[in-house]
Amino acid sequence: MRGFSFLRILQESVSGHRGWREQWRSPEPRKSYDVVVVGGGGHGLATAYYLAAEHGVRNVAVLEKGWIGGGNSGRNTTIVRSNYLFEESAALYEHSLKLWEGLSRKLNYNVMFSQRGVMALGHTVTDVQVIKRHVHANRLAGIDAEYLDPRQAKAFCPILDISRDARYPVLGASLQRRGGTARHDAVVWGYARAADALGVDVIENCEVTGVRRDARGAVSGVETTRGAIGTGVLALVAAGHSSVLAGMAGLRLPIESFPLQALVSEPVKPVMPCVVMSNTIDAYMSQSDKGELVIGAGTDAYPSYGQRGSFQVASSTLDSLCELFPVLRRLRMMRSWAGIVDVTPDRSPIVGPTPTPGLWLNCGWGTGGFKAIPGSGHLFAASLAAGRPHTLVAPFGLDRFSAGRLIDEATAAAVSH
Amino acid sequence: MLLIPCPVCNMARPEREFRYAGEAGLVRPHDPGAASDQDWTDYLFARANRKGVHEERWRHLHGCGRFLVVTRDTVNDRVLQSVPA
């Protein structure tokens, strides 16, 4: 792999840009691999990259049924933050945020990580109490968090309506200045390119159709649309389709898949200097570098694999945003879509081994997986290489549901996050 | 937005009148004291999460108030059948 540099751009610009090559190979699948990762999204590619880069495990394949980053990695609202309530989650997401901070340099690929600040609004007295509790918990855990009064919130995001008679009055807000956004495609491409350079086979258009197990029940390989592939370690990192894949190995997961919607507006001049989210009205908004407002809405009330979502879910978010930001009322929406998110009962991920020998899970990131990509990949790779869960992900094992040790971010945030 | 036929009210009504009530056919352990941790885990948390034809409970909250078992295809969200629970 030839790195990107200013010198390289200069060279190419004088030679007619004929020297740029594809950023990763399109290899034919081999007969077998040491580790097979199912799912070529951010989490799967990061897992493969860190396996090769930090643990010397290079005989790895990433199988993707479509094209890399074509699932939830390309459908999310790209928000990165680490201000979770519980110690276990805070440690996990903070680990990820620290990796984000050095990611562009590490991958030699500009992931456009912009720490523009993530502000969460409170509209009721209860909201404010919850927000203050979060801020205190975060500070105790060593994570940057601030409480803002309404005027400070407006100073941070000037288009916010903080008048007292607003439909959703702003009574207070939390702010994580180190939070922000990143460019979702660049993250996936950067990891794919870096993993490929270390010898990982990134295999697109290769859907897993079955899981092979040997006489003692251990995983021995997978069947795919491009033939059978042998492996002793099978890592399922397939987000919304985790239940379908686990079902091929005879496993029933504590997961339900829901459509989560997002929209983008027509591009406008810069109006939003930060990310604003509000749990009460199920809305997230930031402005992309192209000028589009990127808006996240809620999930449907019922599980579904249709990547659309119901109209009333998106329209109720837009109604609320027009109340919060009156300046947006005449803005037109260009596109809307949904990603299928894998939601666990406690809204915390499942990372670790399963009762089936050789079968590992990294799923259940639900509505907030994008921010976790580097941390998830890093810690999952360490777990796969060592054969046991890394300390930071150990609390997130599948066994927590029978042990009753739920990490209940569901009640902490009350909604999708 | 789903249009769900209610067999009790005998008409198709919009999703907003209903409340989703989870996967159908989950059976609470008959003898709670004798049930193992695994039995409880299966009942409380494990779900089929089927891609395709899925049986699920809905309650016609703002209508007749009855629980229904609705059969729906989770890929195209088409409601195939709706019967009283």
Side-chain angles (χ1 to χ4, degrees), chain A residues 10-23:
Chain A
L10 268 184
Q11 282 172 349
E12 289 299 334
S13 60
V14 294
S15 62
H17 292 286
R18 281 188 291 269
W20 299 115
R21 293 285 169 262
E22 57 188 14
Q23 298 299 308

Side-chain angles (χ1 to χ4, degrees), chain B residues 62-82:
Chain B
H62 304 293
C64 58
R66 291 284 294 274
F67 277 95
L68 314 173
V69 174
V70 173
T71 309
R72 178 174 59 95
D73 187 328
T74 59
V75 177
N76 57 23
D77 287 335
R78 201 157 289 160
V79 175
L80 306 172
Q81 195 187 38
S82 174

Side-chain angles (χ1 to χ4, degrees), chain A residues 102-109:
Chain A
L103 195 60
S104 290
R105 181 164 298 186
K106 180 104 178 160
L107 299 178
N108 179 239
Y109 205 97

